Amino acid sequence: METKRTYDYKPTPEQLLLAEERRRQREAKKLHQQNTHESHTHLSPTFLSRDWKYLPSTQTVPRSTIKVMSWNLLAQCLIRSNLFPTSSKALKTTHREPMIHAEILSHFADIMCMQEVDRLEKLSPVLELAGYSSAYATGPGKQHGCLIAYKQNKYNRLDELVIEYDKQEVREDSAHPAARIGSSRVTKNIGFMVALAEAGADQKGVIVATTHLFWHPAFTYERARQAGILIREVLNFRQSMKLDHWPCIIAGDFNFAPDDPAYSLLIGDPLTEAQSHRLHTSRVIHTTIDPTVPPTTKKADDEEGDGSEADPDRVINNSRVATSSDGLLSDLELTSLFINGAKLRSAYDEGQRIQRGNGTAGNLQTFGDRVSSPPIRLGSHEPMWTSYTHYWKTTLDYIFFVDTPKHSINVAGYLNPHRTTDMEAGLPQIGICGSDHVSLCAELFLS
């Protein structure tokens, strides 16, 4: 009787990788089909499109362009119906997600910075099928985070870095770790950055960073500290990789308006007396830094959206006045933290300033128009609103950039912001926008 031979077949590592890639593609296709079916069953993924504004250019030499989008998606885990009383069904994932995914892809951006990102199992396949790779990071214990996506055929990711603001030191002249950090509150917020090399040209590329700074309106000092750390670490990241000739793009939800001290410090403007006063009154030590601080109210949710501390006119609860031993930075020290970095330029502030200067403003509505800020002041031409809900309406989101001695960056065009009349019902809103923030998109050219 003939004995059957058995063979112990073992696939090669390359075959295993290929099989895994095919399995991932099948799952992504299946998930996309499910999402498409859901969107047609419940709601067509419609949103209110906006015109693109092209700006005149005097450039005659060859140039490369980068189209950048930034958007706070409004994490589903943060939604409270009482905070969005006019949004109704727009708060449900079956309505919001098709709108959000459609709007993201409509921009055809080369690089996308997104904040308050959760439900990655829904978003990632959509990005992959559209030809994007992405990197994602969260703060400790948070259910949502920051995501940077980029076109696979245009960029390769060389490295990435997560910055936990709660752990970053801002001074060296203290024996106490807390004083060296100089923080007023534990926030769990992060900055996230990647180095992207141009495909086929490793010596050319861009450093991209995104962030979501602390949300509470009264913590002005803490946001300024976080913003200073962000620009410092972006430039350190670029230098450590010996990529000083690469430009930097820093986009995200900064949770401050253009008249905030942190905005002025980022763009290199001196602080006004009013801004110094806001910093002074926000130099406190929260119970998350000093547990001996007696509570003044019930424990508040650390995430955005519980509403218990959202009123900027309220005093900061559960805190004490800071002393010199706490190590909080003075105005001069804060300014030095930013001076060690670089002056940032804003794509929307420059773009809309050019549009108005050319006499083609049309129905242009800016932050300066809303608060009667002098047109010559930097920040006056930021969008009138980037967040608009039933209860709060303000400008919080920006696309900043830093050029280099080798590369001069200018704004080639930008996506017009939503008009106030289109958002009056309060975002999110079916047929308008799936988030409480407005997506920003700008095209930059490097000469």
Side-chain angles (χ1 to χ4, degrees), residues 25-52:
Q25 290 179 355
R26 288 195 301 270
E27 290 186 353
K29 183 177 181 180
K30 181 179 178 182
L31 186 59
H32 176 68
Q33 290 172 341
Q34 290 174 348
N35 289 343
T36 302
H37 174 71
E38 287 182 0
S39 67
H40 286 299
T41 301
H42 297 280
L43 179 76
S44 297
T46 57
F47 59 93
L48 184 61
S49 61
R50 292 168 277 157
D51 294 333
W52 184 264

PDB file of all heavy atoms in Angstrom, residues 25-52:
ATOM      1  N   GLN A  25      -7.770  44.970   1.866  1.00  0.00           N
ATOM      2  CA  GLN A  25      -8.472  45.653   0.782  1.00  0.00           C
ATOM      3  C   GLN A  25      -9.904  45.139   0.646  1.00  0.00           C
ATOM      4  O   GLN A  25     -10.824  45.924   0.386  1.00  0.00           O
ATOM      5  CB  GLN A  25      -7.706  45.466  -0.521  1.00  0.00           C
ATOM      6  CG  GLN A  25      -6.378  46.222  -0.578  1.00  0.00           C
ATOM      7  CD  GLN A  25      -5.635  45.987  -1.871  1.00  0.00           C
ATOM      8  OE1 GLN A  25      -6.055  45.184  -2.705  1.00  0.00           O
ATOM      9  NE2 GLN A  25      -4.523  46.689  -2.057  1.00  0.00           N
ATOM     10  N   ARG A  26     -10.100  43.808   0.813  1.00  0.00           N
ATOM     11  CA  ARG A  26     -11.455  43.256   0.733  1.00  0.00           C
ATOM     12  C   ARG A  26     -12.330  43.813   1.848  1.00  0.00           C
ATOM     13  O   ARG A  26     -13.498  44.168   1.617  1.00  0.00           O
ATOM     14  CB  ARG A  26     -11.411  41.724   0.816  1.00  0.00           C
ATOM     15  CG  ARG A  26     -10.868  41.047  -0.425  1.00  0.00           C
ATOM     16  CD  ARG A  26     -11.189  39.556  -0.418  1.00  0.00           C
ATOM     17  NE  ARG A  26     -10.633  38.886   0.757  1.00  0.00           N
ATOM     18  CZ  ARG A  26      -9.413  38.331   0.799  1.00  0.00           C
ATOM     19  NH1 ARG A  26      -8.628  38.384  -0.269  1.00  0.00           N
ATOM     20  NH2 ARG A  26      -9.004  37.729   1.903  1.00  0.00           N
ATOM     21  N   GLU A  27     -11.783  43.893   3.058  1.00  0.00           N
ATOM     22  CA  GLU A  27     -12.556  44.422   4.181  1.00  0.00           C
ATOM     23  C   GLU A  27     -12.886  45.890   3.982  1.00  0.00           C
ATOM     24  O   GLU A  27     -13.985  46.340   4.299  1.00  0.00           O
ATOM     25  CB  GLU A  27     -11.783  44.218   5.486  1.00  0.00           C
ATOM     26  CG  GLU A  27     -11.700  42.761   5.923  1.00  0.00           C
ATOM     27  CD  GLU A  27     -11.055  42.613   7.288  1.00  0.00           C
ATOM     28  OE1 GLU A  27     -10.561  43.627   7.826  1.00  0.00           O
ATOM     29  OE2 GLU A  27     -11.048  41.486   7.809  1.00  0.00           O
ATOM     30  N   ALA A  28     -11.909  46.661   3.471  1.00  0.00           N
ATOM     31  CA  ALA A  28     -12.147  48.084   3.236  1.00  0.00           C
ATOM     32  C   ALA A  28     -13.232  48.289   2.186  1.00  0.00           C
ATOM     33  O   ALA A  28     -14.105  49.149   2.331  1.00  0.00           O
ATOM     34  CB  ALA A  28     -10.845  48.769   2.798  1.00  0.00           C
ATOM     35  N   LYS A  29     -13.201  47.455   1.120  1.00  0.00           N
ATOM     36  CA  LYS A  29     -14.217  47.565   0.077  1.00  0.00           C
ATOM     37  C   LYS A  29     -15.598  47.217   0.619  1.00  0.00           C
ATOM     38  O   LYS A  29     -16.591  47.907   0.339  1.00  0.00           O
ATOM     39  CB  LYS A  29     -13.858  46.646  -1.086  1.00  0.00           C
ATOM     40  CG  LYS A  29     -14.828  46.744  -2.272  1.00  0.00           C
ATOM     41  CD  LYS A  29     -14.374  45.850  -3.412  1.00  0.00           C
ATOM     42  CE  LYS A  29     -15.327  45.965  -4.591  1.00  0.00           C
ATOM     43  NZ  LYS A  29     -14.891  45.088  -5.722  1.00  0.00           N
ATOM     44  N   LYS A  30     -15.658  46.148   1.443  1.00  0.00           N
ATOM     45  CA  LYS A  30     -16.930  45.733   2.022  1.00  0.00           C
ATOM     46  C   LYS A  30     -17.484  46.812   2.933  1.00  0.00           C
ATOM     47  O   LYS A  30     -18.681  47.139   2.896  1.00  0.00           O
ATOM     48  CB  LYS A  30     -16.744  44.431   2.796  1.00  0.00           C
ATOM     49  CG  LYS A  30     -18.019  43.898   3.436  1.00  0.00           C
ATOM     50  CD  LYS A  30     -17.752  42.595   4.164  1.00  0.00           C
ATOM     51  CE  LYS A  30     -19.018  42.076   4.840  1.00  0.00           C
ATOM     52  NZ  LYS A  30     -18.759  40.817   5.587  1.00  0.00           N
ATOM     53  N   LEU A  31     -16.591  47.416   3.758  1.00  0.00           N
ATOM     54  CA  LEU A  31     -17.030  48.461   4.678  1.00  0.00           C
ATOM     55  C   LEU A  31     -17.493  49.694   3.920  1.00  0.00           C
ATOM     56  O   LEU A  31     -18.485  50.325   4.277  1.00  0.00           O
ATOM     57  CB  LEU A  31     -15.888  48.822   5.632  1.00  0.00           C
ATOM     58  CG  LEU A  31     -16.217  49.799   6.752  1.00  0.00           C
ATOM     59  CD1 LEU A  31     -17.336  49.241   7.637  1.00  0.00           C
ATOM     60  CD2 LEU A  31     -14.982  50.059   7.603  1.00  0.00           C
ATOM     61  N   HIS A  32     -16.791  50.015   2.843  1.00  0.00           N
ATOM     62  CA  HIS A  32     -17.207  51.163   2.029  1.00  0.00           C
ATOM     63  C   HIS A  32     -18.588  50.937   1.431  1.00  0.00           C
ATOM     64  O   HIS A  32     -19.425  51.839   1.409  1.00  0.00           O
ATOM     65  CB  HIS A  32     -16.186  51.395   0.921  1.00  0.00           C
ATOM     66  CG  HIS A  32     -16.563  52.498  -0.024  1.00  0.00           C
ATOM     67  ND1 HIS A  32     -16.605  53.814   0.348  1.00  0.00           N
ATOM     68  CD2 HIS A  32     -16.925  52.461  -1.333  1.00  0.00           C
ATOM     69  CE1 HIS A  32     -16.978  54.552  -0.682  1.00  0.00           C
ATOM     70  NE2 HIS A  32     -17.176  53.757  -1.702  1.00  0.00           N
ATOM     71  N   GLN A  33     -18.837  49.706   0.963  1.00  0.00           N
ATOM     72  CA  GLN A  33     -20.157  49.397   0.394  1.00  0.00           C
ATOM     73  C   GLN A  33     -21.249  49.498   1.452  1.00  0.00           C
ATOM     74  O   GLN A  33     -22.347  49.987   1.189  1.00  0.00           O
ATOM     75  CB  GLN A  33     -20.125  47.995  -0.207  1.00  0.00           C
ATOM     76  CG  GLN A  33     -19.270  47.881  -1.462  1.00  0.00           C
ATOM     77  CD  GLN A  33     -19.096  46.449  -1.926  1.00  0.00           C
ATOM     78  OE1 GLN A  33     -19.300  45.510  -1.161  1.00  0.00           O
ATOM     79  NE2 GLN A  33     -18.693  46.286  -3.180  1.00  0.00           N
ATOM     80  N   GLN A  34     -20.933  49.057   2.682  1.00  0.00           N
ATOM     81  CA  GLN A  34     -21.902  49.160   3.768  1.00  0.00           C
ATOM     82  C   GLN A  34     -22.203  50.618   4.086  1.00  0.00           C
ATOM     83  O   GLN A  34     -23.360  51.006   4.275  1.00  0.00           O
ATOM     84  CB  GLN A  34     -21.366  48.455   5.008  1.00  0.00           C
ATOM     85  CG  GLN A  34     -21.301  46.946   4.876  1.00  0.00           C
ATOM     86  CD  GLN A  34     -20.638  46.299   6.073  1.00  0.00           C
ATOM     87  OE1 GLN A  34     -20.034  46.981   6.908  1.00  0.00           O
ATOM     88  NE2 GLN A  34     -20.738  44.994   6.178  1.00  0.00           N
ATOM     89  N   ASN A  35     -21.132  51.438   4.154  1.00  0.00           N
ATOM     90  CA  ASN A  35     -21.335  52.863   4.445  1.00  0.00           C
ATOM     91  C   ASN A  35     -22.134  53.547   3.358  1.00  0.00           C
ATOM     92  O   ASN A  35     -22.991  54.398   3.623  1.00  0.00           O
ATOM     93  CB  ASN A  35     -19.977  53.560   4.605  1.00  0.00           C
ATOM     94  CG  ASN A  35     -19.264  53.167   5.878  1.00  0.00           C
ATOM     95  OD1 ASN A  35     -19.892  52.639   6.790  1.00  0.00           O
ATOM     96  ND2 ASN A  35     -17.967  53.415   5.938  1.00  0.00           N
ATOM     97  N   THR A  36     -21.841  53.167   2.099  1.00  0.00           N
ATOM     98  CA  THR A  36     -22.579  53.759   0.982  1.00  0.00           C
ATOM     99  C   THR A  36     -24.049  53.390   1.063  1.00  0.00           C
ATOM    100  O   THR A  36     -24.935  54.223   0.841  1.00  0.00           O
ATOM    101  CB  THR A  36     -21.978  53.286  -0.345  1.00  0.00           C
ATOM    102  OG1 THR A  36     -20.608  53.646  -0.392  1.00  0.00           O
ATOM    103  CG2 THR A  36     -22.716  53.913  -1.513  1.00  0.00           C
ATOM    104  N   HIS A  37     -24.327  52.124   1.400  1.00  0.00           N
ATOM    105  CA  HIS A  37     -25.719  51.683   1.530  1.00  0.00           C
ATOM    106  C   HIS A  37     -26.414  52.441   2.646  1.00  0.00           C
ATOM    107  O   HIS A  37     -27.553  52.899   2.487  1.00  0.00           O
ATOM    108  CB  HIS A  37     -25.758  50.185   1.811  1.00  0.00           C
ATOM    109  CG  HIS A  37     -27.148  49.671   2.107  1.00  0.00           C
ATOM    110  ND1 HIS A  37     -28.127  49.574   1.148  1.00  0.00           N
ATOM    111  CD2 HIS A  37     -27.721  49.265   3.283  1.00  0.00           C
ATOM    112  CE1 HIS A  37     -29.241  49.115   1.690  1.00  0.00           C
ATOM    113  NE2 HIS A  37     -29.019  48.917   2.986  1.00  0.00           N
ATOM    114  N   GLU A  38     -25.705  52.618   3.794  1.00  0.00           N
ATOM    115  CA  GLU A  38     -26.306  53.351   4.911  1.00  0.00           C
ATOM    116  C   GLU A  38     -26.614  54.788   4.514  1.00  0.00           C
ATOM    117  O   GLU A  38     -27.661  55.338   4.844  1.00  0.00           O
ATOM    118  CB  GLU A  38     -25.365  53.333   6.112  1.00  0.00           C
ATOM    119  CG  GLU A  38     -25.288  51.994   6.818  1.00  0.00           C
ATOM    120  CD  GLU A  38     -24.369  52.055   8.022  1.00  0.00           C
ATOM    121  OE1 GLU A  38     -23.815  53.151   8.263  1.00  0.00           O
ATOM    122  OE2 GLU A  38     -24.209  51.053   8.708  1.00  0.00           O
ATOM    123  N   SER A  39     -25.687  55.414   3.780  1.00  0.00           N
ATOM    124  CA  SER A  39     -25.892  56.819   3.429  1.00  0.00           C
ATOM    125  C   SER A  39     -27.089  56.978   2.494  1.00  0.00           C
ATOM    126  O   SER A  39     -27.838  57.954   2.601  1.00  0.00           O
ATOM    127  CB  SER A  39     -24.624  57.389   2.781  1.00  0.00           C
ATOM    128  OG  SER A  39     -24.392  56.785   1.525  1.00  0.00           O
ATOM    129  N   HIS A  40     -27.272  56.016   1.589  1.00  0.00           N
ATOM    130  CA  HIS A  40     -28.419  56.111   0.691  1.00  0.00           C
ATOM    131  C   HIS A  40     -29.712  55.758   1.414  1.00  0.00           C
ATOM    132  O   HIS A  40     -30.784  56.258   1.068  1.00  0.00           O
ATOM    133  CB  HIS A  40     -28.216  55.179  -0.503  1.00  0.00           C
ATOM    134  CG  HIS A  40     -27.213  55.683  -1.485  1.00  0.00           C
ATOM    135  ND1 HIS A  40     -27.365  56.871  -2.156  1.00  0.00           N
ATOM    136  CD2 HIS A  40     -26.028  55.170  -1.895  1.00  0.00           C
ATOM    137  CE1 HIS A  40     -26.337  57.072  -2.953  1.00  0.00           C
ATOM    138  NE2 HIS A  40     -25.506  56.059  -2.815  1.00  0.00           N
ATOM    139  N   THR A  41     -29.620  54.899   2.434  1.00  0.00           N
ATOM    140  CA  THR A  41     -30.810  54.497   3.172  1.00  0.00           C
ATOM    141  C   THR A  41     -31.325  55.635   4.043  1.00  0.00           C
ATOM    142  O   THR A  41     -32.526  55.874   4.114  1.00  0.00           O
ATOM    143  CB  THR A  41     -30.494  53.278   4.058  1.00  0.00           C
ATOM    144  OG1 THR A  41     -30.048  52.213   3.211  1.00  0.00           O
ATOM    145  CG2 THR A  41     -31.728  52.837   4.829  1.00  0.00           C
ATOM    146  N   HIS A  42     -30.416  56.352   4.680  1.00  0.00           N
ATOM    147  CA  HIS A  42     -30.822  57.354   5.652  1.00  0.00           C
ATOM    148  C   HIS A  42     -30.766  58.783   5.105  1.00  0.00           C
ATOM    149  O   HIS A  42     -31.620  59.592   5.386  1.00  0.00           O
ATOM    150  CB  HIS A  42     -29.933  57.246   6.894  1.00  0.00           C
ATOM    151  CG  HIS A  42     -30.057  55.933   7.600  1.00  0.00           C
ATOM    152  ND1 HIS A  42     -31.084  55.641   8.456  1.00  0.00           N
ATOM    153  CD2 HIS A  42     -29.281  54.815   7.560  1.00  0.00           C
ATOM    154  CE1 HIS A  42     -30.950  54.411   8.932  1.00  0.00           C
ATOM    155  NE2 HIS A  42     -29.858  53.888   8.395  1.00  0.00           N
ATOM    156  N   LEU A  43     -29.718  59.089   4.343  1.00  0.00           N
ATOM    157  CA  LEU A  43     -29.557  60.460   3.878  1.00  0.00           C
ATOM    158  C   LEU A  43     -28.466  60.513   2.834  1.00  0.00           C
ATOM    159  O   LEU A  43     -27.417  59.904   2.998  1.00  0.00           O
ATOM    160  CB  LEU A  43     -29.168  61.373   5.064  1.00  0.00           C
ATOM    161  CG  LEU A  43     -28.937  62.848   4.724  1.00  0.00           C
ATOM    162  CD1 LEU A  43     -30.271  63.535   4.514  1.00  0.00           C
ATOM    163  CD2 LEU A  43     -28.165  63.533   5.840  1.00  0.00           C
ATOM    164  N   SER A  44     -28.709  61.204   1.757  1.00  0.00           N
ATOM    165  CA  SER A  44     -27.636  61.412   0.796  1.00  0.00           C
ATOM    166  C   SER A  44     -26.557  62.259   1.455  1.00  0.00           C
ATOM    167  O   SER A  44     -26.859  63.198   2.197  1.00  0.00           O
ATOM    168  CB  SER A  44     -28.180  62.134  -0.447  1.00  0.00           C
ATOM    169  OG  SER A  44     -29.142  61.326  -1.091  1.00  0.00           O
ATOM    170  N   PRO A  45     -25.291  61.934   1.199  1.00  0.00           N
ATOM    171  CA  PRO A  45     -24.209  62.654   1.884  1.00  0.00           C
ATOM    172  C   PRO A  45     -24.002  64.053   1.319  1.00  0.00           C
ATOM    173  O   PRO A  45     -22.977  64.367   0.723  1.00  0.00           O
ATOM    174  CB  PRO A  45     -22.997  61.755   1.620  1.00  0.00           C
ATOM    175  CG  PRO A  45     -23.296  61.081   0.320  1.00  0.00           C
ATOM    176  CD  PRO A  45     -24.786  60.885   0.311  1.00  0.00           C
ATOM    177  N   THR A  46     -25.020  64.897   1.449  1.00  0.00           N
ATOM    178  CA  THR A  46     -24.936  66.246   0.908  1.00  0.00           C
ATOM    179  C   THR A  46     -24.470  67.218   1.978  1.00  0.00           C
ATOM    180  O   THR A  46     -24.720  67.051   3.167  1.00  0.00           O
ATOM    181  CB  THR A  46     -26.303  66.707   0.383  1.00  0.00           C
ATOM    182  OG1 THR A  46     -27.262  66.615   1.445  1.00  0.00           O
ATOM    183  CG2 THR A  46     -26.754  65.852  -0.779  1.00  0.00           C
ATOM    184  N   PHE A  47     -23.765  68.234   1.530  1.00  0.00           N
ATOM    185  CA  PHE A  47     -23.322  69.324   2.394  1.00  0.00           C
ATOM    186  C   PHE A  47     -23.322  70.582   1.532  1.00  0.00           C
ATOM    187  O   PHE A  47     -23.425  70.493   0.292  1.00  0.00           O
ATOM    188  CB  PHE A  47     -21.923  69.046   2.961  1.00  0.00           C
ATOM    189  CG  PHE A  47     -20.877  68.863   1.893  1.00  0.00           C
ATOM    190  CD1 PHE A  47     -20.111  69.938   1.454  1.00  0.00           C
ATOM    191  CD2 PHE A  47     -20.678  67.625   1.304  1.00  0.00           C
ATOM    192  CE1 PHE A  47     -19.166  69.781   0.462  1.00  0.00           C
ATOM    193  CE2 PHE A  47     -19.730  67.447   0.301  1.00  0.00           C
ATOM    194  CZ  PHE A  47     -18.968  68.529  -0.117  1.00  0.00           C
ATOM    195  N   LEU A  48     -23.224  71.713   2.155  1.00  0.00           N
ATOM    196  CA  LEU A  48     -23.243  72.963   1.405  1.00  0.00           C
ATOM    197  C   LEU A  48     -21.844  73.264   0.869  1.00  0.00           C
ATOM    198  O   LEU A  48     -20.923  73.540   1.635  1.00  0.00           O
ATOM    199  CB  LEU A  48     -23.715  74.112   2.296  1.00  0.00           C
ATOM    200  CG  LEU A  48     -23.879  75.464   1.593  1.00  0.00           C
ATOM    201  CD1 LEU A  48     -24.925  75.374   0.484  1.00  0.00           C
ATOM    202  CD2 LEU A  48     -24.274  76.542   2.589  1.00  0.00           C
ATOM    203  N   SER A  49     -21.688  73.157  -0.440  1.00  0.00           N
ATOM    204  CA  SER A  49     -20.388  73.412  -1.053  1.00  0.00           C
ATOM    205  C   SER A  49     -20.113  74.914  -1.070  1.00  0.00           C
ATOM    206  O   SER A  49     -21.028  75.743  -1.009  1.00  0.00           O
ATOM    207  CB  SER A  49     -20.337  72.850  -2.472  1.00  0.00           C
ATOM    208  OG  SER A  49     -21.322  73.468  -3.284  1.00  0.00           O
ATOM    209  N   ARG A  50     -18.833  75.241  -1.159  1.00  0.00           N
ATOM    210  CA  ARG A  50     -18.409  76.652  -1.164  1.00  0.00           C
ATOM    211  C   ARG A  50     -17.466  76.901  -2.327  1.00  0.00           C
ATOM    212  O   ARG A  50     -16.787  75.987  -2.791  1.00  0.00           O
ATOM    213  CB  ARG A  50     -17.709  76.988   0.159  1.00  0.00           C
ATOM    214  CG  ARG A  50     -18.636  76.974   1.359  1.00  0.00           C
ATOM    215  CD  ARG A  50     -17.833  77.028   2.659  1.00  0.00           C
ATOM    216  NE  ARG A  50     -17.347  75.717   3.066  1.00  0.00           N
ATOM    217  CZ  ARG A  50     -16.307  75.519   3.857  1.00  0.00           C
ATOM    218  NH1 ARG A  50     -15.580  76.542   4.274  1.00  0.00           N
ATOM    219  NH2 ARG A  50     -15.942  74.300   4.206  1.00  0.00           N
ATOM    220  N   ASP A  51     -17.417  78.135  -2.771  1.00  0.00           N
ATOM    221  CA  ASP A  51     -16.570  78.498  -3.906  1.00  0.00           C
ATOM    222  C   ASP A  51     -15.107  78.545  -3.490  1.00  0.00           C
ATOM    223  O   ASP A  51     -14.768  78.843  -2.342  1.00  0.00           O
ATOM    224  CB  ASP A  51     -16.978  79.861  -4.469  1.00  0.00           C
ATOM    225  CG  ASP A  51     -18.365  79.840  -5.093  1.00  0.00           C
ATOM    226  OD1 ASP A  51     -18.778  78.756  -5.552  1.00  0.00           O
ATOM    227  OD2 ASP A  51     -19.019  80.895  -5.105  1.00  0.00           O
ATOM    228  N   TRP A  52     -14.253  78.271  -4.456  1.00  0.00           N
ATOM    229  CA  TRP A  52     -12.810  78.400  -4.257  1.00  0.00           C
ATOM    230  C   TRP A  52     -12.374  79.778  -4.747  1.00  0.00           C
ATOM    231  O   TRP A  52     -12.787  80.233  -5.809  1.00  0.00           O
ATOM    232  CB  TRP A  52     -12.066  77.313  -5.035  1.00  0.00           C
ATOM    233  CG  TRP A  52     -10.585  77.322  -4.793  1.00  0.00           C
ATOM    234  CD1 TRP A  52      -9.625  77.926  -5.549  1.00  0.00           C
ATOM    235  CD2 TRP A  52      -9.905  76.697  -3.700  1.00  0.00           C
ATOM    236  NE1 TRP A  52      -8.386  77.720  -5.002  1.00  0.00           N
ATOM    237  CE2 TRP A  52      -8.530  76.967  -3.870  1.00  0.00           C
ATOM    238  CE3 TRP A  52     -10.328  75.949  -2.612  1.00  0.00           C
ATOM    239  CZ2 TRP A  52      -7.560  76.502  -2.967  1.00  0.00           C
ATOM    240  CZ3 TRP A  52      -9.369  75.476  -1.719  1.00  0.00           C
ATOM    241  CH2 TRP A  52      -8.008  75.748  -1.897  1.00  0.00           C
TER     242      TRP A  52
END
